Amino acid sequence: NAGVTQTPKFQVLKTGQSMTLQCAQDMNHNSMYWYRQDPGMGLRLIYYSASEGTTDKGEVPNGYNVSRLNKREFSLRLESAAPSQTSVYFCASSDWTGYQETQYFGPGTRLLVL
Amino acid sequence: AQKITQTQPGMFVQEKEAVTLDCTYDTSDQSYGLFWYKQPSSGEMIFLIYQGSYDEQNATEGRYSLNFQKARKSANLVISASQLGDSAMYFCAMREGDSGNTGKLIFGQGTTLQVKP
């Protein structure tokens, strides 16, 4: 049981290049999320997907697109990377058991845009 | 607008002592959830504890407990018997919306905890 996995772990891009961050969960969760964490700060929500086939904007969606490919996978795409997108990106999925909810995070992708 | 405030940028505690990390929140929702996460220097986000707004008892998970004071809108994390491995950044977060709904989280700025031997 791998939980939430993310690829790649590290990436260096030049300004204007594009890339896709991959995320997959094996816990059969309906909801998935993409956050970014800038140095010394908490996480901020970029996009989320409440269920397969739906996506919605979070707090900081500009410059990103997402795809909920199926229940397991939720990808984040940077069409034209900018230095301001240098950050650590976390994917997460959530579960509600009826009395407790938990949000599980992937290990993160460190992205540097030059 | 919903907001999470962690006023302690850094904290020190002696090994084996207890420590309280502060968190206050602001929301107009009646139903919400509060979370604490640990982020060690390796960078992963580790779930510690959850408190629902309707839960009457404070949540506990091993050495972690959440001191939930609803009227004061505070959700402080208490770590008992600190260990060296507790040195990390700690984030308080709040889930927007009703229980069982989409769990969009709002995070505080974090508190860095250093445990001294």
Side-chain angles (χ1 to χ4, degrees):
Chain A
N1 190 344
V4 180
T5 57
Q6 292 182 234
T7 55
K9 286 187 169 53
F10 303 95
Q11 185 70 49
V12 180
L13 291 178
K14 294 180 180 178
T15 297
Q17 287 185 318
S18 62
M19 79 162 294
T20 299
L21 282 64
Q22 306 287 353
C23 174
Q25 52 93 8
D26 62 2
M27 296 173 283
N28 203 35
H29 290 170
N30 285 316
S31 299
M32 297 185 72
Y33 315 83
W34 277 104
Y35 294 89
R36 62 177 285 174
Q37 183 180 26
D38 298 320
M41 295 182 67
L43 281 67
R44 292 183 294 169
L45 183 66
I46 304 171
Y47 269 94
Y48 67 98
S49 171
S51 61
E52 186 179 352
T54 68
T55 60
D56 278 294
K57 295 178 180 179
E59 181 185 353
V60 288
N62 290 345
Y64 305 95
N65 285 301
V66 290
S67 295
R68 184 74 183 268
L69 305 170
N70 48 56
K71 193 171 186 179
R72 288 188 65 247
E73 298 171 289
F74 188 38
S75 62
L76 178 72
R77 182 159 179 84
L78 287 71
E79 291 290 351
S80 179
S84 61
Q85 294 178 305
T86 293
S87 191
V88 180
Y89 291 85
F90 288 97
C91 177
S93 69
S94 67
D95 181 38
W96 169 250
T97 63
Y99 66 93
Q100 171 162 312
E101 60 185 286
T102 311
Q103 191 152 125
Y104 299 92
F105 283 80
T109 295
R110 294 182 180 274
L111 176 66
L112 173 62
V113 183
L114 300 174
Chain B
Q2 281 118 335
K3 188 177 178 181
I4 292 280
T5 303
Q6 295 180 254
T7 57
Q8 307 153 312
M11 293 276 290
F12 289 93
V13 65
Q14 206 67 37
E15 192 178 9
K16 299 181 185 176
E17 291 185 349
V19 63
T20 298
L21 306 183
D22 294 341
C23 174
T24 58
Y25 60 92
D26 187 20
T27 182
S28 56
D29 289 344
Q30 295 302 308
S31 177
Y32 50 89
L34 296 156
F35 299 74
W36 277 93
Y37 284 87
K38 174 183 178 182
Q39 188 176 43
S41 57
S42 52
E44 70 265 36
M45 295 290 287
I46 302 169
F47 167 75
L48 295 178
I49 198 166
Y50 165 83
Q51 178 86 40
S53 58
Y54 292 121
D55 296 341
E56 294 184 353
Q57 291 191 325
N58 288 341
T60 60
E61 289 284 350
R63 294 186 298 111
Y64 304 107
S65 60
L66 199 152
N67 185 358
F68 181 46
Q69 297 187 43
K70 195 170 182 177
R72 297 181 61 185
K73 294 189 174 178
S74 74
N76 298 339
L77 177 70
V78 180
I79 306 174
S80 63
S82 298
Q83 302 172 355
L84 295 177
D86 293 335
S87 294
M89 177 80 89
Y90 288 81
F91 289 100
C92 180
M94 177 170 64
R95 184 248 305 134
E96 292 184 282
D98 292 335
S99 305
N101 212 329
T102 308
K104 295 183 291 178
L105 296 185
I106 301 167
F107 283 81
Q109 299 280 70
T111 295
T112 301
L113 177 66
Q114 299 229 17
V115 180
K116 294 181 174 179

